Amino acid sequence: MTETVLVIGAGIGGLCTALSLAPTGRQITILERDQPPPSDDPDVVFLDWHRRGAGHVRQSHAFLARLRNIIKQHHPDLLEELKALGTRDLTFDMMLTEQQRELYEPLPEDADLTIITSRRTTLELAIRRYVEGLENVTIRSGFFVRKLTTQAGEGSVIEVCGVSGEENSEPVALSADIVIDASGKSGFLIQQLMDEGAAIAEESETAGILYFTRHYRLRPGQDEPSRTESPPASGDLGYIKFGVFPGDNGCFSVTISVPEVELELRKAIMNPDVFHAITLQLPGVEPWTNQARSEPRGKVHGMGDLHSRWRDMVVDNVPATRNYYPLGDTLVRTNPLYGRGCSFAAVSAEMLRETLEETSDATERQRIYHAKLRTELRPYYMNQRAQDRSAIKRAEAALTPGYRKSWRGKMVESFFEDGVRIALRSDVDLLRQAMRGFHMLEHPNKWLGKPANLGRVLWYWARGRKRNVAAYPPKLGPERDQMMLALNLDPKADMRQTSVEAELAA
């Protein structure tokens, strides 16, 4: 008998679930609270598609190689549809420094290190149109799921057997063999299960950062700046991180992230004039956003409430639920710095497909899915959480008068700034291996854990700045005080500790 599947949410997570499960022959219904795209024109969709269920839809997005490779392997026609709508491929060779390009010899596996980049609305439009063409998938728009239908199972396990809600304001209840929760960051259904007593373990902490994005369009006759002749268009200045995301159809976006503790700057940056002024202070971004090259489009889109969060649906080998599978931001969230959210959802959907094919036992399915998540996603979650904690301390130190870094802190910073960074900007093979971790093709720290690779990093570090001078990037931007003054902001506004307190904190 063919299993029936309800997928809650038609964002990237829900659509990737349909892509993964459709080839298995199951009958899949996607329930989406928002209305369908208003047009097939990417520009109209960007301006007019209201996505209450995905408040971050106008933030910068990219599909890492792990997700692109899944699409390429299982749905190659979708890649062509994405390109037809104007999405872009950023290939491995585009990430090389000028110094590395002179020595670069392409390898076949470099093709697997390709990013898809575009406006998020265009990505969703292309995938949704493709999914709507799959014969065993139905998307029901205007369906707001308010509650899971549950019943008591064995012990404390809760059985999920359907959903209830409203479809275009009419009450509706649906049942299914499998319910997949891809409702995302704002989803609340998993909380219903916790309130009903489901033994779901959760850990959560702030990522310590907020994101601000503004979109731009190239002026007629203008091309994008050269990637090799301009300073890097992304970077980390401590008090801000920034990046340019090439988009579709002559568009691109700039995202600037600001630590939570930078109260003055994060308030000011919502002003479009202030945001634009910041871009002009960044040597790698100014070639994109100067008046001759492009024009800004619309307001600044902010995104807060960013937390690292991990939920375990199986604790001590005992599942909390049966027939219910959350994925994407519903289950695991990290700082979106490396764009892993969409890939997390897609990889989870692939692991769920494998799980459902391995066994029909509902309890065993929960255990297998849980184990796969722990193996595949947990290392990236932990890696990002550690980076967030370090960044929070760095941002607090920048606002602490008299703060003095410890000797150990200076050595760690030098190892990464003058060792790891320089090695990756010099050695093509090291970069290739590191990018495999970045793209979720292997453990994020595997490359540096290899003795030979660590030795090469230490060699670059030991050479010193003078001999490595060609590998250092140009200055990425002004110091914090200079930026604040350029924006007519008080650089001392958020200073919070005395020098004595700083000594104790160090």
Side-chain angles (χ1 to χ4, degrees):
M1 183 176 176
T2 302
E3 287 184 306
T4 56
V5 180
L6 291 178
V7 180
I8 303 167
I12 298 295
L15 294 173
C16 285
T17 300
L19 291 176
S20 292
L21 296 188
T24 71
R26 291 176 171 84
Q27 292 299 313
I28 302 162
T29 302
I30 304 177
L31 309 175
E32 170 56 47
R33 65 179 292 183
D34 294 329
Q35 294 301 321
S39 170
D40 286 334
D41 183 327
D43 287 337
V44 175
V45 171
F46 175 77
L47 293 172
D48 296 340
W49 194 13
H50 300 293
R51 297 286 281 112
R52 292 172 299 166
H56 56 293
V57 73
R58 286 174 179 81
Q59 293 294 326
S60 298
H61 277 75
F63 285 176
L64 299 184
R66 181 73 178 269
L67 175 48
R68 184 184 184 277
N69 293 346
I70 289 172
I71 296 173
K72 180 180 177 181
Q73 179 181 356
H74 298 294
H75 298 278
D77 290 345
L78 175 54
L79 275 186
E80 297 306 312
E81 293 196 21
L82 285 162
K83 291 178 182 177
L85 280 181
T87 66
R88 309 272 300 283
D89 279 351
L90 300 184
T91 54
F92 175 68
D93 62 288
M94 295 179 179
M95 304 170 194
L96 302 177
T97 64
E98 189 171 354
Q99 180 183 1
Q100 288 172 318
R101 285 175 180 273
E102 296 175 0
L103 305 172
Y104 176 55
E105 294 182 7
L107 295 179
E109 57 263 35
D110 292 348
D112 292 334
L113 301 175
T114 300
I115 294 174
I116 297 175
T117 184
S118 169
R119 290 174 291 185
R120 160 73 181 256
T121 49
T122 303
L123 294 168
E124 272 201 34
L125 174 63
I127 302 176
R128 182 167 174 141
R129 289 199 320 191
Y130 181 88
V131 166
E132 286 173 334
L134 301 174
E135 62 181 24
N136 58 327
V137 179
T138 301
I139 301 179
R140 294 172 65 164
S141 298
F143 196 121
F144 185 23
V145 177
R146 292 196 176 275
K147 192 173 182 182
L148 299 169
T149 306
T150 62
Q151 60 187 28
E154 253 182 71
S156 60
V157 177
I158 294 177
E159 303 262 4
V160 177
C161 45
V163 303
S164 61
E166 293 92 37
E167 185 171 22
N168 298 316
S169 301
E170 293 294 324
V172 181
L174 301 174
S175 60
D177 300 309
I178 298 168
V179 176
I180 299 170
D181 189 348
S183 54
K185 176 182 174 181
S186 60
F188 53 85
L189 298 169
I190 197 169
Q191 186 62 49
Q192 173 198 332
L193 297 174
M194 296 168 77
D195 292 342
E196 292 180 9
I200 299 169
E202 178 179 309
E203 58 185 62
S204 177
E205 62 183 67
T206 181
I209 204 164
L210 299 96
Y211 281 75
F212 303 90
T213 294
R214 198 174 190 197
H215 290 261
Y216 290 77
R217 167 158 265 160
L218 294 170
R219 294 187 183 278
Q222 290 292 320
D223 296 322
E224 294 178 355
S226 168
R227 295 178 184 279
T228 57
E229 296 175 6
S230 302
S234 62
D236 183 354
L237 295 175
Y239 64 95
I240 60 169
K241 297 179 176 67
F242 63 90
V244 173
F245 291 75
D248 57 279
N249 301 293
C251 297
F252 65 91
S253 60
V254 178
T255 292
I256 301 172
S257 59
V258 182
E260 287 181 340
V261 294
E262 288 279 1
L263 302 178
E264 186 79 3
L265 184 56
R266 76 187 224 198
K267 286 188 295 183
I269 200 172
M270 285 299 293
N271 181 324
D273 293 335
V274 173
F275 185 99
H276 186 67
I278 293 174
T279 71
L280 299 179
Q281 292 290 318
L282 303 171
V285 180
E286 188 276 339
W288 292 78
T289 62
N290 67 68
Q291 187 175 6
R293 179 90 61 176
S294 65
E295 58 181 347
R297 306 190 72 213
K299 65 179 185 179
V300 177
H301 301 276
M303 179 170 63
D305 187 30
L306 297 175
H307 287 75
S308 295
R309 183 179 67 198
W310 182 278
R311 285 168 168 159
D312 281 318
M313 302 299 293
V314 177
V315 178
D316 296 330
N317 208 37
V318 178
T321 63
R322 281 161 51 101
N323 308 320
Y324 170 79
Y325 302 93
L327 54 74
D329 284 352
T330 308
L331 189 65
V332 182
R333 286 170 56 189
T334 63
N335 182 340
L337 179 64
Y338 295 137
R340 288 178 176 150
C342 294
S343 294
F344 270 27
V347 171
S348 299
E350 284 290 288
M351 291 188 291
L352 180 55
R353 175 186 57 78
E354 295 169 0
T355 298
L356 298 180
E357 296 298 283
E358 285 182 35
T359 179
S360 60
D361 183 277
T363 299
E364 195 59 26
R365 281 175 168 178
Q366 301 286 163
R367 294 191 179 110
I368 293 171
Y369 181 55
H370 168 76
K372 288 178 181 289
L373 289 169
R374 278 262 166 184
T375 300
E376 286 284 338
L377 301 186
R378 185 74 177 177
Y380 302 99
Y381 169 84
M382 296 298 290
N383 178 269
Q384 185 61 62
R385 192 179 72 175
Q387 291 192 44
D388 290 344
R389 290 176 176 178
S390 177
I392 289 170
K393 290 180 180 178
R394 184 181 172 193
E396 290 175 343
L399 296 177
T400 304
Y403 174 82
R404 292 197 294 270
K405 195 170 294 181
S406 67
W407 179 85
R408 181 181 180 278
K410 291 178 181 177
M411 292 300 291
V412 169
E413 182 179 275
S414 177
F415 173 71
F416 284 101
E417 290 293 313
D418 304 314
V420 174
R421 180 177 66 153
I422 297 308
L424 294 179
R425 289 181 57 83
S426 303
D427 190 309
V428 173
D429 188 55
L430 283 181
L431 179 64
R432 181 182 284 122
Q433 293 185 60
M435 291 304 291
R436 290 190 62 79
F438 174 84
H439 283 293
M440 298 178 58
L441 301 178
E442 59 186 37
H443 191 289
N445 299 325
K446 181 179 179 180
W447 77 275
L448 192 54
K450 295 177 181 178
N453 290 349
L454 178 58
R456 288 155 78 182
V457 169
L458 292 173
W459 181 80
Y460 279 102
W461 191 25
R463 277 167 51 93
R465 282 179 168 264
K466 188 173 182 180
R467 283 187 286 179
N468 289 331
V469 65
Y472 281 89
K475 188 174 181 181
L476 297 177
E479 299 296 328
R480 179 183 178 276
D481 284 4
Q482 292 175 299
M483 176 69 84
M484 297 290 279
L485 291 172
L487 302 174
N488 293 317
L489 300 176
D490 180 4
K492 307 299 182 186
D494 296 321
M495 296 296 181
R496 306 175 302 137
Q497 291 182 298
T498 67
S499 58
V500 174
E501 290 171 321
E503 291 280 342
L504 294 173

